[in-house]
Each structure stands twice: as structure tokens, then as C-alpha cells.
Amino acid sequence: MILSIFNFIDKRNADIITRFISNKNKVASFSMDFVDDNKLYRIYAVFDPSDDYIYSSENIKVHIVSTDIFLRDNYESSAKRLDSMMIRLNKSNYIIELEKLRRLSMDSIFNYGIKANKKYLNVLEHTLRVLDPSILSVNRIEELKNAFVIKMADKSIIIQDGKMVNDSLLSSGTKAGLDIASIVSSIKVGMHSLYYCDEKFSYVYSDIEIGFLSLMINELKRNSQLFYTTHNLDILDLPLPIGRIWRENCPIYVKCFIKSAVSIVNVTTYLKKNTDSLRNAVDNDLFSVAPRLDEIENL
């Protein structure tokens, strides 16, 4: 959805967004705040229903406001200034309104992939050797484009364009290492400003996942953002602040959301201090999102 919003901004094509609207008899809207070039932007868009379910400039309204981010600002103080600007939706054509963001760098979205360059292969080799100690090395194949070979004691596995010649030779956790190395190497070189790591550690030991998440957080560049999802409760034991901390004048804001089958809970609604234990709150089901184990008993 986030990627689609940025594509909507870039291409000015409403179909990119309206295809997500499930009930076209109701008003739909989205709002998103984001940072670019030391400015905080807010885009607010409303899609009014039409008789023929076709969206045009007449029933699409977009409003964009921005404010400079000053030295002593935090998100809340900057967002408060945006709140004062959100008086009413702009009546001009939404395509014209989106022109305010024509300078936005659209290649900064999570388009990281598996590339057989030197930096990626270095990260990949260390990653795979953590996941599988039997791996000896990872080397580029000069004769093939975007290809490399994983060497083990008794076999070698060739990968080209992200596809393995024989993926049955590697465990699920080791194969996940390809994606893990991809996002880690992207973060290390600051390739993008937005990263989305969704359940990449399902087959990996808890201690290894904690180590890689700590590495990704530490390597995030200024004005970068990481979305990270996991089912591993041990992550909640990491000494991450619930609120904001500062590192080299760069704000780091950690927000944790607990998802149940039907809702998402922002933990800062319940926990106000960084000293509050997120793990204890989950273990005691403070957010009312514990799975219904009684259904298992009914079996």
C-alpha cells in the first residue's frame, strides 16, 4: 500500500490506488506523512464514490502540505504545524496538486534485490556462514551475468538472477539468507530510504534474528525507515525505546504494533515509559491479542 501511494504520486494515475477500494459506494481516503529533503510532507487524498464506479478528477481530491524540519524539531512538533495547514481539501485538479511533489525521489522505495556485486556478495557470504557453518565461500561467476556460486565442502550451488539451479541442496533457513543479505546490504550502503522486512527470519534461530535486526537498526542511514514484522517474541526483549531517542542528531523513533486477527494495537497507547517492559505486557495479554488456545482444546 505504501509503495502504491508513492507510485500514485509519481505517475498521477488514480487507478493505482482506487483498485484497493473494496466498497466503492463509500468515501475512501488515505493520509501519509513522510520526510524528504529535510521537509515533513503530508498527503491527504479523498475518493468520493461515483455512480458508475469510475474515479475521475471530479471525485478525487488531494491536499499536500509541508513544513521545514528545524534543528530542535521532533515529529510531533513538525506534525502540529501541518495540522494547522489542513484547513480543507484543495479544489484544484489532483494531478496539479501532485506536482508539488515532483522533486520527490521515487527510486527510494524498497526495490532491493539480489545483485551479484562485491558488496552484496561480502554480506551474503557472512550471512550464509552464520546460517550454515558448512558453507566455505561465496564467489562471483565472471562468465555469467548476475551469477555467483556458493561453495560447500562436498558441493557447489550456482545462483543466477536470484534463482538456484538446485534449491533442494539448501535448507529453508539458508535459502532465506539470500533475502536477508539483500536487505542488509541495501541498508549498509543506504540504497533506499524505506525498507520493508516481512517475516524473513521464520526459519532462523532467535539469537540470529536478534543479531541481524540489531545490525539493520544500527546501519540505518539518516532519514531512513525500516518496517519489520516478526512472530518472534524474543525480539520484545531488545532494549529498544518505545518512544524517541537521538543518535548523532538523527532521530530514531521506534513504534511497535501488536496485530491480532482483526485489529492492530499501537503499544504506546498503553505503555508510556521506555522503562515499561513490552515483553511482560504481551505475556500478560495487556493488548488482548493472545491467540485463542481454547479452540485447540475443543478439538
Side-chain angles (χ1 to χ4, degrees), residues 52-64:
D52 54 5
Y53 301 138
I54 297 176
Y55 295 91
S56 63
S57 58
E58 285 72 27
N59 53 350
I60 300 176
K61 297 293 182 291
V62 173
H63 190 33
I64 297 171

Side-chain angles (χ1 to χ4, degrees), residues 113-117 120-121 124-125 128 135 137-152 156-171 174-179 181-182:
I114 297 174
K115 302 295 182 182
N117 55 54
Y120 170 72
L121 293 183
L124 178 62
E125 179 173 323
L128 293 183
I135 292 176
S137 64
V138 178
N139 301 304
R140 183 174 180 176
I141 303 176
E142 298 296 340
E143 296 79 10
L144 297 176
K145 183 180 179 181
N146 198 29
F148 53 91
V149 57
I150 300 174
K151 292 187 177 182
M152 308 173 80
S156 296
I157 301 168
I158 296 176
I159 299 177
Q160 185 175 20
D161 295 326
K163 297 180 179 179
M164 298 183 188
V165 174
N166 189 350
D167 59 4
S168 64
L169 298 177
L170 293 178
S171 67
T174 307
K175 285 185 284 188
L178 297 175
D179 289 334
S182 178

Side-chain angles (χ1 to χ4, degrees), residues 240-252:
L240 294 174
I242 298 173
R244 182 188 308 98
I245 63 174
W246 292 84
R247 182 184 69 193
E248 298 175 356
N249 296 323
C250 178
I252 302 174

Side-chain angles (χ1 to χ4, degrees), residues 35-161:
V35 174
D36 184 68
D37 195 24
N38 210 38
K39 285 180 177 287
L40 179 65
Y41 288 86
R42 176 173 297 167
I43 176 172
Y44 178 53
V46 172
F47 304 86
D48 292 325
S50 61
D51 295 336
D52 54 5
Y53 301 138
I54 297 176
Y55 295 91
S56 63
S57 58
E58 285 72 27
N59 53 350
I60 300 176
K61 297 293 182 291
V62 173
H63 190 33
I64 297 171
V65 293
S66 66
T67 181
D68 290 328
I69 300 175
F70 301 106
L71 183 62
R72 297 185 180 277
D73 268 342
N74 54 37
Y75 169 73
E76 286 77 10
S77 61
S78 301
K80 189 174 181 179
R81 291 196 298 273
L82 293 184
D83 292 338
S84 64
M85 302 176 191
M86 300 293 294
I87 300 174
R88 62 178 180 273
L89 284 176
N90 198 304
K91 294 183 179 180
S92 65
N93 187 288
Y94 77 90
I95 296 177
I96 297 176
E97 184 72 1
L98 289 173
E99 283 294 319
K100 292 181 180 179
L101 299 175
R102 62 185 181 278
R103 288 183 59 257
L104 190 64
S105 175
M106 296 313 303
D107 61 352
S108 61
I109 312 305
F110 34 79
N111 293 323
Y112 49 84
I114 297 174
K115 302 295 182 182
N117 55 54
K118 185 176 180 180
K119 291 182 178 179
Y120 170 72
L121 293 183
N122 179 60
V123 174
L124 178 62
E125 179 173 323
H126 286 85
T127 299
L128 293 183
R129 289 171 67 177
V130 169
L131 300 174
D132 187 348
S134 67
I135 292 176
L136 302 178
S137 64
V138 178
N139 301 304
R140 183 174 180 176
I141 303 176
E142 298 296 340
E143 296 79 10
L144 297 176
K145 183 180 179 181
N146 198 29
F148 53 91
V149 57
I150 300 174
K151 292 187 177 182
M152 308 173 80
D154 57 344
K155 57 194 173 188
S156 296
I157 301 168
I158 296 176
I159 299 177
Q160 185 175 20
D161 295 326

